[in-house]
Amino acid sequence: MNRQNLVAIVESIAAELGPEQLSRVQLDSVISELGIDSLAMAQIVLELEERLGVTIPDDELSDVVTVEDLIRIVEGRLDAEGSRLDGPTGR
């Protein structure tokens, strides 16, 4: 799974949660500046775990500032655990 696919998944999940500015999610986007609070972040992580078949420990999320930070963690978990992806969006 490439980074653009992961960004698209994050963008899709985040867009379901509300803020309109999420249509322009980039790797260097600061999560808090996208209007994503801690509750929304938890929902994004839970959805990523479900869609990608990985477990993302809370302690790995403590230093997440940008979308790229989150993507790096997801990539690491995918490498470590594998995934159950059926296609580019995980569905």
Side-chain angles (χ1 to χ4, degrees), residues 3-12 25-27 67 71:
R3 281 187 165 204
Q4 287 202 296
N5 287 342
L6 290 172
V7 170
I9 291 170
V10 170
E11 183 177 74
S12 168
V25 172
Q26 302 292 319
L27 281 173
V67 171
I71 297 299

Side-chain angles (χ1 to χ4, degrees), residues 5-43:
N5 287 342
L6 290 172
V7 170
I9 291 170
V10 170
E11 183 177 74
S12 168
I13 295 165
E16 293 171 14
L17 300 176
E20 292 178 21
Q21 65 267 36
L22 294 177
S23 62
R24 288 186 241 133
V25 172
Q26 302 292 319
L27 281 173
D28 62 350
S29 297
V30 175
I31 290 173
S32 62
E33 291 176 4
L34 294 171
I36 298 172
D37 62 14
S38 59
L39 178 59
M41 182 66 168
Q43 290 174 304

